[in-house]
Amino acid sequence: MSQIGGFFELWSPVLLLVIVVVGYVYRRFVAMGNGRTAEPVSVSKQASFFIGLALFYIGQGSPINYIGHHYLFSMHMLQQTILYLIVPICIWVGTPEWIMRSFMKNIVFRVILTFFTRPLIALFLFNMLFSIYHMPLIMDYLMKNDLSLFGYHTVLLFTAFMMWFPVFCPLPELNRLNDLKKMAYIFGNGILLTPACALIIFADTVIYDMYANVTVPFNHLSTLDDQQLGGVLMKIIQEVVYGATLAYIFFRWYRRERREEDDVELLETQEIPNNHGGNWNHA
């Protein structure tokens, strides 16, 4: 391969149309509330949802997808981090509670969501599928079979959403983890994702046949360096995302603890004058 693909190979107009339609439906029917019991979604939540949609298109419908599939392993790993580590967070944060309750009325949706978002199942399922995907034999096969690749990526994206649900759960009744357990959950994710990154970073040979014999007209790195760069990108972005998530959870927990302490102190200061007053009245 020595020529870059055409416009419709580098960019996906069909996916862009889907993203625009989803964005319009969200803005028109979700963000503005249901008009009766649900209030409009906050600007910050709307921004999070639309950023998630934009990042999904960047990862799946922009040249990152094409170049990562045909030329550079590092671009492929960048795509992976966008789709599986960032997009689900943005979408869950931007999803209001009331719309999730509407979906939960469907028994099939409720059973699937309740089962696959159990923390241990979500944790191990995503990381297992992600590690299997990056085994050389599996990845080389998938990259040569578009239908199988699409199916695997769909399942992997589903498990990524399930993996992030226990951390950014929009429904209180399904929020199975307190903040301390959420921090442990994120830490466990980081540990389970490390072997796949280490396999790629420390390999001293090109382990993926699909990239071994590709001629890249715009690349200044060797194939092995590009492979190692992909592993490093994955690990660094993973650390940044998980670190930011840990910080978010920790400071939210800290602020809540401080607020509860302030409420207790306020109640105590209010009770002291009342007690004194009661003593005077008794005298």
Side-chain angles (χ1 to χ4, degrees):
M1 299 178 190
S2 59
Q3 299 294 323
I4 301 297
F7 176 82
F8 289 101
E9 291 178 294
L10 294 174
W11 302 92
S12 175
V14 175
L15 182 59
L16 179 61
L17 178 61
V18 172
I19 293 295
V20 170
V21 171
V22 171
Y24 172 79
V25 170
Y26 175 84
R27 175 64 181 173
R28 177 66 178 82
F29 299 102
V30 179
M32 305 310 295
N34 64 9
R36 295 186 300 276
T37 59
E39 296 181 356
V41 180
S42 66
V43 174
S44 60
K45 283 183 172 291
Q46 291 185 47
S48 177
F49 190 89
F50 287 121
I51 289 172
L53 290 182
L55 288 175
F56 182 80
Y57 181 75
I58 291 172
Q60 193 63 40
S62 77
I64 290 178
N65 178 49
Y66 181 85
I67 295 173
H69 185 79
H70 295 284
Y71 293 102
L72 297 179
F73 178 75
S74 56
M75 286 295 100
H76 177 71
M77 294 303 282
L78 177 62
Q79 177 197 42
Q80 302 283 288
T81 60
I82 293 173
L83 294 179
Y84 306 135
L85 299 185
I86 303 176
V87 168
I89 295 176
C90 295
I91 298 299
W92 283 133
V93 170
T95 301
E97 180 180 328
W98 71 267
I99 192 66
M100 286 297 297
R101 294 195 186 283
S102 299
F103 286 129
M104 290 292 284
K105 294 178 181 178
N106 183 290
I107 187 171
V108 175
F109 181 90
R110 184 169 67 251
V111 169
I112 291 175
L113 187 70
T114 303
F115 177 78
F116 284 102
T117 57
R118 295 179 184 275
L120 288 180
I121 293 176
L123 180 72
F124 286 103
L125 190 59
F126 169 75
N127 286 285
M128 179 185 68
L129 291 177
F130 187 85
S131 297
I132 291 174
Y133 172 75
H134 287 95
M135 291 179 178
L137 182 65
I138 301 297
M139 188 168 172
D140 283 334
Y141 170 79
L142 290 174
M143 286 297 189
K144 294 176 183 177
N145 297 272
D146 291 340
L147 186 60
S148 298
L149 181 66
F150 174 79
Y152 201 102
H153 276 186
T154 301
V155 172
L156 200 54
L157 184 64
F158 169 79
T159 60
F161 271 88
M162 297 301 100
M163 184 269 288
W164 283 112
F165 186 88
V167 181
F168 297 96
C169 177
L171 294 175
E173 61 268 25
L174 290 182
N175 191 14
R176 301 181 176 98
L177 302 176
N178 59 35
D179 287 337
L180 291 178
K181 290 181 179 179
K182 286 180 180 180
M183 288 188 279
Y185 179 85
I186 294 298
F187 184 75
N189 263 292
I191 293 176
L192 292 175
L193 203 60
T194 297
C197 297
L199 169 70
I200 297 166
I201 294 172
F202 297 109
D204 55 4
T205 59
V206 177
I207 60 177
Y208 300 109
D209 292 339
M210 54 169 293
Y211 293 106
N213 301 313
V214 173
T215 301
V216 186
F218 50 81
N219 188 31
H220 299 289
L221 296 175
S222 67
T223 305
L224 180 59
D225 289 339
D226 175 65
Q227 177 180 283
Q228 293 173 335
L229 176 61
V232 170
L233 278 174
M234 183 69 192
K235 188 59 181 174
I236 290 177
I237 297 176
Q238 171 215 324
E239 294 293 341
V240 171
V241 172
Y242 286 3
T245 303
L246 284 171
Y248 167 77
I249 296 172
F250 174 79
F251 285 112
R252 184 179 62 181
W253 168 76
Y254 177 76
R255 286 194 299 267
R256 186 171 61 250
E257 290 293 317
R258 288 296 304 271
R259 186 165 57 248
E260 291 176 356
E261 291 177 1
D262 292 341
D263 291 341
V264 171
E265 292 177 358
L266 180 61
L267 287 175
E268 290 177 349
T269 56
Q270 290 175 344
E271 289 176 357
I272 291 174
N274 291 335
N275 290 336
H276 283 305
N279 291 335
W280 282 108
N281 292 332
H282 179 71

